[in-house]
Amino acid sequence: MLLPVRKPHPEPVGGAGGLRRLNTGSHLVLFFLVVTMFTMVLLGSTILLYLIHTDSRLHTPMYFLLSQLSLLDVGFPLTTIPKMMTDFLQGGGSISFGGCAAQIFFLMLMGVSEGVLLSLMSYDRYVAVCHPLHYAVLMRRQVCLLMVGTSWFSGVLVASIQTSITLHFPYCASHTVDHLFCELPALLKLSCADTSAYALALSISGVLILLLPISLIAASYGHVLGAVLRMHSAEARHKAFTTCSSHITVVGLFYGAATFMYMVPGTYHSPQQDNVVSLFYSLITPTLNPLIYSLRNREVQLSLAKVLHRAGFRSIR
């Protein structure tokens, strides 16, 4: 019978003494830091979704895809942070195998979906820069819906397969997950069966799942770079760079963390490093994404200023 999984307190691991408690002051600082970033994720992504939905100037393919990215940015922390914060307050915690499986499934779903979506967004930027006259046709609504459907379907498919395989392993060893939340590599370490073949297959599939989108991104921006270099107008080059720089920044943040977690074999990184990287892509990256797009994008800035102006005008009246 499957027993609940115990999770250690989300604090650094000491030497021979096992788990090391932070002092109360550091503990509270870390707690409020995570709560603050969690609030920023929800607020930033919600504002961006609201602006895209209400402002007709943002009813374009790029912002439609960006709205899906914002949904994924909300989903990542909602899957992990509330439970993690509860464990912080309780000084430790446990999670059922059902809850653990749910975390694995949704983290895998959103991770794969975001990776595919970011690669398809690079195609959108390629069309905008290299084929601007055909943009309305090449990025028509049906194509955008197909892109979004492909990203979500890919996430559901991979998450269903990986989660079902993982749950079929027997777990008769220690039930302590040396991780901030349930993630597939961390749970495999608890199995009393030989999981080396599956771990190898997981690494290979992780390479494929990451390399295919990265290849599409590299090909798209390779063509974009060639088109920019052929532009004679400095203003046109600046506009093309501005159009693509936000997306490139987000791609770098996401794939940097994902590459370390799923392409580098587990023997080459420690549980502490895994915790930092997992917290990075599940909380820090979703916090930065709305800021990157809003601060570097004039259309979003104008839309936000318009909303704030209306809100201020109404409050005065």
Side-chain angles (χ1 to χ4, degrees):
M1 183 177 70
L2 295 179
L3 299 176
V5 177
R6 295 186 299 276
K7 297 194 298 180
H9 193 276
E11 297 171 349
V13 177
L19 291 176
R20 176 169 58 86
R21 299 289 184 183
L22 294 176
N23 61 57
T24 304
S26 299
H27 182 207
L28 290 176
V29 169
L30 182 58
F31 174 81
F32 284 112
L33 179 62
V34 174
V35 169
T36 300
M37 296 188 69
F38 179 60
T39 304
M40 290 177 61
V41 172
L42 298 182
L43 185 61
S45 296
T46 302
I47 291 175
L48 200 52
L49 283 168
Y50 174 77
L51 295 177
I52 293 172
H53 177 72
T54 57
D55 195 332
S56 59
R57 293 174 299 180
L58 303 183
H59 292 174
T60 63
M62 183 184 78
Y63 289 107
F64 174 68
L65 297 176
L66 180 57
S67 69
Q68 301 301 306
L69 180 63
S70 296
L71 287 176
L72 292 168
D73 285 341
V74 171
F76 259 119
L78 281 179
T79 302
T80 57
I81 301 304
K83 174 60 178 172
M84 193 178 78
M85 289 298 92
T86 302
D87 294 343
F88 261 116
L89 295 175
Q90 294 178 347
S94 64
I95 186 171
S96 67
F97 262 90
C100 193
Q103 280 194 344
I104 291 175
F105 175 82
F106 285 109
L107 283 174
M108 185 72 68
L109 184 158
M110 288 176 290
V112 173
S113 297
E114 183 161 338
V116 174
L117 182 64
L118 287 173
S119 67
L120 295 176
M121 290 175 72
S122 70
Y123 172 77
D124 168 75
R125 295 300 82 207
Y126 156 73
V127 174
V129 174
C130 299
H131 303 283
L133 298 180
H134 300 93
Y135 184 80
V137 176
L138 295 176
M139 291 299 299
R140 58 191 181 274
R141 180 172 178 78
Q142 293 87 340
V143 175
C144 294
L145 291 175
L146 179 62
M147 286 182 170
V148 171
T150 299
S151 64
W152 284 101
F153 176 76
S154 301
V156 171
L157 180 63
V158 173
S160 299
I161 294 174
Q162 300 286 16
T163 304
S164 61
I165 293 176
T166 302
L167 294 182
H168 275 82
F169 285 109
Y171 294 94
C172 54
S174 169
H175 287 161
T176 300
V177 180
D178 193 9
H179 205 55
L180 291 177
F181 40 80
C182 283
E183 205 162 14
L184 199 152
L187 190 62
L188 284 179
K189 296 177 182 179
L190 304 184
S191 176
C192 53
D194 183 12
T195 61
S196 57
Y198 177 58
L200 178 61
L202 181 64
S203 296
I204 294 174
S205 64
V207 170
L208 294 176
I209 291 171
L210 290 174
L211 280 185
L212 290 176
I214 290 175
S215 299
L216 178 58
I217 292 170
S220 297
Y221 281 111
H223 285 89
V224 169
L225 179 61
V228 170
L229 293 177
R230 290 191 296 269
M231 294 177 180
H232 300 291
S233 169
E235 182 180 353
R237 287 196 297 269
H238 176 73
K239 183 178 180 180
F241 175 77
T242 303
T243 301
C244 301
S245 58
S246 296
H247 181 251
I248 293 175
T249 304
V250 172
V251 166
L253 290 172
F254 176 83
Y255 277 101
T259 298
F260 178 86
M261 195 69 184
Y262 288 98
M263 290 182 66
V264 178
T267 54
Y268 291 95
H269 44 90
S270 66
Q272 293 91 333
Q273 292 173 323
D274 289 343
N275 280 330
V276 172
V277 173
S278 296
L279 194 61
F280 184 86
Y281 69 71
S282 64
L283 183 60
I284 298 177
T285 299
T287 303
L288 294 176
N289 285 352
L291 298 176
I292 292 170
Y293 275 102
S294 61
L295 293 178
R296 297 171 64 91
N297 195 298
R298 181 169 176 78
E299 288 85 359
V300 175
Q301 292 174 358
L302 291 175
S303 179
L304 180 59
K306 182 179 178 181
V307 170
L308 293 177
H309 176 73
R310 286 180 175 176
F313 178 75
R314 289 174 181 173
S315 63
I316 293 174
R317 291 190 65 181

